[in-house]
């Protein structure tokens, strides 16, 4: 081991940085934070800038000096070693460099520091490149040594981050988030042969805990506590050294603790390269020269052709100059961050005028043809001789006619309870359900007590006016029903038609479809009134959700949708276990056997019929085991005219193979059948709507992969947001979400409150996409009736032994919970749920021993269990067939054994067994 003085003794360079020594770091000037909130505010103010003390900088330079000397001696005259500091400040870590031997580069977000450092280095004669950007905006390469003291624990969020071990899912997508010090290490290792890094002690120890993940780490030195005190920071740091090549197999990382005088300075045998082998570049990622955007030659021909490809308006040019003028006129300015917290732009959106080239944006305008003509005027004003494709205006007119139908809600009938306000009515009197404030957001708001009666009058705009405490207030219908029970002003429970539907709104179109359906004989097997009417209403558009309840005839509807569409090949997708049932149902219909088939082998794909049936399992599966990517869905792509997806609510899971297979088909008409179209959460519906109604179209404006289609996008996209963000903000209630979940509302962690934020807007968004039918509504009840079940609750007394056992478990939970208040680590979510479940088990099935409870129940059947056994025996004696459900399999087994003792014949079915 060699002992060295703190200041380098070999060829000391002149003090070229003397003009910068009086400058103080932002961190040393900031006030000490007094709380976590203050710490966050302080970091925003000082940007994590704390200059490296000269003594520590000198020691680091002495540690890397042997590598510098060896490299320069090896490569001869005329070469230099390129050095980089990715948070350079005023260059404390670069101060011992020599302009004849080293090149300098660095970045920092503090412009005054970078400007002063760059000027001092230039005057000293350095070849240097300094830039005022953050480390997240560069991707450096080609350096011999990186000496870094990065800001600690700053949260970086940028789409320009380079993916690596330090990056994670961020606001801009995968690998767009990182902690500053971790990302600085990742960046330096990619940029330089040798890295010397000043890092937080806690982070350094995490690297040491897994040295195999850091093969280039050769040494770690824990610095003295005094190092950053003159900067106003009491922080423990370590200096880590990374070599050019990985450690030898089995070699350990050297770990030492430095004394206050920094006398320990071993030679780590580091090596680096010079400019003979390196080409150092900062490579600012936000400024990438990809060459000219327009490469078309200037011909002087002003001809421009305007057409469309799908929803995209296309421009054809003959002259590069005219192309530049026209595109600049249309696209406008490049978008920059709005600065609004949480706002982000959809992927692919770059210019303020980009909405003008989306046909769907024009269709959202009051007059789509006038909007298109305004675009044509803009193009001509840019000097173009415009030729519009003759089919474009006709296509827009056709789409506008179709859009009027698509925006019309389906016929919908709802049950209005006698205690609920609904639709236009006269004065109502409501009785408050609970004690509540009239306006919770206003201090001193009047209070309405539970049971108090209030008079309401409709205002004609969907709200109800009322007066409390001498002041007037208004409530939306859903809020009135949530707070009050209507006692007078409504009649009795009644079914009310809230939307008359498309058959009434477009009688000529409906009549034409009716004649065609009758000619095909569809009214013969869709013989109930609502079945045939719904078929016609659904077929008036290219996609919708038929949310029929169980037993209303969805299989027949699926066949009718395909036949009425007139396509040569339609496809019904369903679960594998329903294939036989669907085959039986189709065989009953008056459809020739040669017109339908169940796809069971690749040969069936060669001769598609009018109606084809396939299971989701087969659709997503490979045709041949040797070619996994060649699936049934890929063979059927662009061959299906009408697609009917049974149990279509599965589309809410956007990352599954079934969903990908359905999208892969690219069918012209798409219908989803489901009795539960909303799945688990209200937000689930929008993934289904994007499939059936279009993704960010004029008819379905909430894009799941695109933007939220606002008419204002025709003027500017500056306020544009992704469709998923709009759904989340308008309808969903979260306590917190991860950035990964924000992207698609499917993957990633979140804490969601199952509460719909805006009921009236939600109903309006779904009304023209979902055709709902339930068995109880009058149109259905005339043909099909399901008995309404009677619900009765029986209250039983606790058995003393059972109650005592339950109280012991509950008291044990209370004591554990109160003890955990002092140490939150003992009360994590998993442990809390397990303890709560132990209390639940003690109440429902005390015979089951919980892992989280030390208590054992030694009683027999509980009062509830005895009641169930007696009740089942009585019902069976009376000749009834009975089904008894229970949450716990053990409880069913206990009841089953009791029935055996009573001689009652039964079948016990659990996940463990089926026992007769």
């Amino acid at each position: 081991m060699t002992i060295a003085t703190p200041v380098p003794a070999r060829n000391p360079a002149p003090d070229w940085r003397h003009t910068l020594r009086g400058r103080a770091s932002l961190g040393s000037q900031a006030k000490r934070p007094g709380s976590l909130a203050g710490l966050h505010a302080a970091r925003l103010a000082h940007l994590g800038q704390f200059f490296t003390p000269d003594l520590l900088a000198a020691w680091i330079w002495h540690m890397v000096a042997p590598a510098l000397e060896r490299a320069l001696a090896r490569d001869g005259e005329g070469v230099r070693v390129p050095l980089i500091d990715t948070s350079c400040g005023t260059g404390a870590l670069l101060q011992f460099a020599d302009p004849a031997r080293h090149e300098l580069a660095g970045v920092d977000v503090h412009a005054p520091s970078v400007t002063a450092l760059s000027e001092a280095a230039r005057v000293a004669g350095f070849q240097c490149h300094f830039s005022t950007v953050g480390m997240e905006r560069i991707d450096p390469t080609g350096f011999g040594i990186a000496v870094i003291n990065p800001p600690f624990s700053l949260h970086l969020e940028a789409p320009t981050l380079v993916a690596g071990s330090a990056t994670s899912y961020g606001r801009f997508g995968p690998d767009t988030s990182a902690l500053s010090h971790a990302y600085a290490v990742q960046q330096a290792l990619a940029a330089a042969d040798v890295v010397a890094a000043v890092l937080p002690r806690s982070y350094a120890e995490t690297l040491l805990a897994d040295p195999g993940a850091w093969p280039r780490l050769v040494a770690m030195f824990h610095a003295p506590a005094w190092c950053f005190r003159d900067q106003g920071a009491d922080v423990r740091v370590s200096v880590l050294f990374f070599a050019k090549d990985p450690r030898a197999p089995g070699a350990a990382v050297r770990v030492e603790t430095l004394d206050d005088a920094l006398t320990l300075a071993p030679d780590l045998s580091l090596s680096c390269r010079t400019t003979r082998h390196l080409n150092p570049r900062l490579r600012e990622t936000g400024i990438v020269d990809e060459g000219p955007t327009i490469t078309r030659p200037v011909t002087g021909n002003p001809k421009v052709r305007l057409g469309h490809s799908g929803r995209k308006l296309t421009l054809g040019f003959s002259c590069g100059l005219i192309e530049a003028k026209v595109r600049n006129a249309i696209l406008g300015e490049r978008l920059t961050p709005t600065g609004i917290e949480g706002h982000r732009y959809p992927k692919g959106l770059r210019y303020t005028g980009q909405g003008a080239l989306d046909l769907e944006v024009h269709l959202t305008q009051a007059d789509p043809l006038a909007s298109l003509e305004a675009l044509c005027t803009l193009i001509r004003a840019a000097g173009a001789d415009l030729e519009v494709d003759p089919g474009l205006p006709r296509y827009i007119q056709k789409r506008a006619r179709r859009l009027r139908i698509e925006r019309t809600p389906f016929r919908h009938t709802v049950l209005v309870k006698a205690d609920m306000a609904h639709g236009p009515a006269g004065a109502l009197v409501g009785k408050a359900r609970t004690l509540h404030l009239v306006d919770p957001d206003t201090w001193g708001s009047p209070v309405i007590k539970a049971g108090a009666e209030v008079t309401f009058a409709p205002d004609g705009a969907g709200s109800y006016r009322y007066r409390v405490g001498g002041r007037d207030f208004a409530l939306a219908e859903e809020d009135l029903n949530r707070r009050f029970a209507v006692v007078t002003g409504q009649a009795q429970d009644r079914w009310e038609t809230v939307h008359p539907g498309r058959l009434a709104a477009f009688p000529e179109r409906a009549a034409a479809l009716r004649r065609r359906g009758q000619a095909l004989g569809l009214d013969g097997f869709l013989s109930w009134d609502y079945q045939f009417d719904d078929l016609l209403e659904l077929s008036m558009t290219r996609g919708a959700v038929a949310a029929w309840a169980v037993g209303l005839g969805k299989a027949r509807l699926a066949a009718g949708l395909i036949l009425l569409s007139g396509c040569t090949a339609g496809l019904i997708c369903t679960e594998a276990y329903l294939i036989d049932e669907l085959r039986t149902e189709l065989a009953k219909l008056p459809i020739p056997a040669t017109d339908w088939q169940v796809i069971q082998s690749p040969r069936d794909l060669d001769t598609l019929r009018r109606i084809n049936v396939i299971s989701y399992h087969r659709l997503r599966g490979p045709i041949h085991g040797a070619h996994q990517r060649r699936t049934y869905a890929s063979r059927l792509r662009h061959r299906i005219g009408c697609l009917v997806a049974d149990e279509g609510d599965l589309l809410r899971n956007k990352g599954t193979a079934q969903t990908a297979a359905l999208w892969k088909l690219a069918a012209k008409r798409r219908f989803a059948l489901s009795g539960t179209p909303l799945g688990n959460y209200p937000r689930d519906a929008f993934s289904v709507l994007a499939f059936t109604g279009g993704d960010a179209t004029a008819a379905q404006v909430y894009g799941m992969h695109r933007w939220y289609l606002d008419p204002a996008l025709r003027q500017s996209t500056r306020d544009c947001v992704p469709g998923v963000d709009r759904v989340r903000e308008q309808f969903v209630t979260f306590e917190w979400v991860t950035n990964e979940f924000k992207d698609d509302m499917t993957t990633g962690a979140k804490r969601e409150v199952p509460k719909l934020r805006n009921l009236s807007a939600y109903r309006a968004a779904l009304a023209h996409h979902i055709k709902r039918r339930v068995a109880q509504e009058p149109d259905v009840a005339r043909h099909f009736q399901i008995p309404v079940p009677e619900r009765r609750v029986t209250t039983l007394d606790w058995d003393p032994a059972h109650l005592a056992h339950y109280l012991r478990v509950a008291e044990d939970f209370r004591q554990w919970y109160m003890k955990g208040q002092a140490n939150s680590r003992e009360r994590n979510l998993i442990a809390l749920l397990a303890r709560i479940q132990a209390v639940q088990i003690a109440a429902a099935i005390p015979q089951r021993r919980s892992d989280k409870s030390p208590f054992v129940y030694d009683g027999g059947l509980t009062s509830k269990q005895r009641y169930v056994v007696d009740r089942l025996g009585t019902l069976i004696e009376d000749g009834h067939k009975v089904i008894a459900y229970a949450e716990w399999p053990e409880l069913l087994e206990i009841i089953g054994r009791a029935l055996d003792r009573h001689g009652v014949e039964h079948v016990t079915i659990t996940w463990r067994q089926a026992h007769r």
Side-chain angles (χ1 to χ4, degrees), residues 37-230:
L39 178 62
H40 175 69
R43 284 175 174 169
L44 293 178
H46 60 57
L47 306 176
Q49 187 188 68
F50 293 90
F51 294 160
T52 308
D54 287 346
L55 192 59
L56 182 61
W59 179 83
I60 292 173
W61 187 266
H62 195 96
M63 294 294 292
V64 300
L68 295 170
E69 296 299 329
R70 284 191 285 267
L72 292 169
R74 181 187 64 242
D75 288 350
E77 299 293 330
V79 298
R80 295 179 175 84
V81 177
L83 311 176
I84 185 173
D85 183 354
T86 54
S87 45
C88 57
T90 57
L93 287 171
L94 302 174
Q95 61 181 301
F96 302 108
D98 186 340
R101 302 160 65 85
H102 309 117
E103 291 183 8
L104 304 183
V107 297
D108 200 283
V109 295
H110 189 230
S113 297
V114 174
T115 302
L117 174 61
S118 180
E119 178 62 21
R122 185 188 62 79
V123 171
F126 280 102
Q127 293 184 23
C128 59
H129 181 188
F130 293 99
S131 183
T132 308
V133 296
M135 68 177 74
E136 69 274 15
R137 296 290 300 276
I138 62 170
D139 181 18
T141 184
F143 290 89
I145 294 182
V147 281
I148 61 173
N149 174 20
F152 297 168
S153 302
L154 292 186
H155 188 200
L156 304 179
E157 288 271 3
T160 53
L161 293 181
V162 178
S165 59
T167 56
S168 60
Y169 211 106
R171 186 160 56 94
F172 300 99
D175 296 305
T176 59
S177 177
L179 283 179
S180 53
H181 57 268
Y183 186 73
V185 173
Q186 170 191 310
Q187 188 179 68
L189 288 172
D193 294 338
V194 173
V195 177
V198 180
L199 298 171
R201 179 80 52 85
S202 57
Y203 176 71
E205 289 171 347
T206 64
L207 271 60
L208 194 62
D210 187 15
W214 303 91
R216 292 172 58 188
L217 176 61
V218 293
M220 178 186 301
F221 296 90
H222 300 318
W226 58 259
C227 282
F228 286 90
R229 283 178 182 166
D230 63 341

Side-chain angles (χ1 to χ4, degrees), residues 227-228 635 698 815 840:
C227 282
F228 286 90
R635 277 287 307 276
Q815 293 180 6
Q840 182 187 7

Side-chain angles (χ1 to χ4, degrees), residues 361-440:
V361 173
H362 291 279
L363 289 169
T364 62
Q365 308 304 306
D367 186 344
L369 285 178
S371 177
L372 179 67
E373 183 56 36
L375 175 64
C376 295
T377 301
L378 181 65
I379 295 173
R380 293 187 182 100
D385 180 7
L386 182 63
E387 178 186 350
V388 180
D389 186 334
L392 180 58
R394 292 197 297 270
Y395 177 75
I396 290 179
Q397 289 175 328
K398 176 183 175 182
R399 283 292 312 277
R401 289 193 299 270
R402 195 170 88 198
L403 184 61
R404 286 196 292 272
I405 299 176
E406 292 171 340
R407 286 178 171 174
T408 302
F410 288 108
R411 177 179 169 82
H412 187 44
T413 304
V414 298
L415 176 63
V416 180
K417 291 287 189 178
D419 64 346
M420 306 285 282
H422 184 77
L428 304 173
V429 176
K431 180 181 290 186
R433 300 180 188 271
T434 59
L435 174 72
H436 65 270
L437 292 172
V438 174
D439 185 359

Side-chain angles (χ1 to χ4, degrees), residues 632 670 798 857:
Y632 280 80
R670 305 173 185 179
W798 288 78
Y857 175 70

Side-chain angles (χ1 to χ4, degrees), residues 654 683 704 724 727-728 732 741-747:
K654 292 183 283 189
R683 58 177 164 81
M704 292 294 99
V724 290
V727 170
R728 189 176 63 252
V732 187
F741 188 83
K742 284 182 180 180
D743 260 6
D744 60 6
M745 291 195 297
T746 301
T747 55

Side-chain angles (χ1 to χ4, degrees), residues 248 345 369 498 524 648 704 768 803 839 867:
Y345 287 114
L369 285 178
V498 293
M704 292 294 99
H768 53 288
L803 179 59
V839 178
Y867 175 84

Side-chain angles (χ1 to χ4, degrees), residues 288-302:
V288 180
D289 186 3
E290 298 178 343
T293 302
I294 298 173
T295 57
R296 197 183 314 276
V298 178
T299 64
N301 186 347

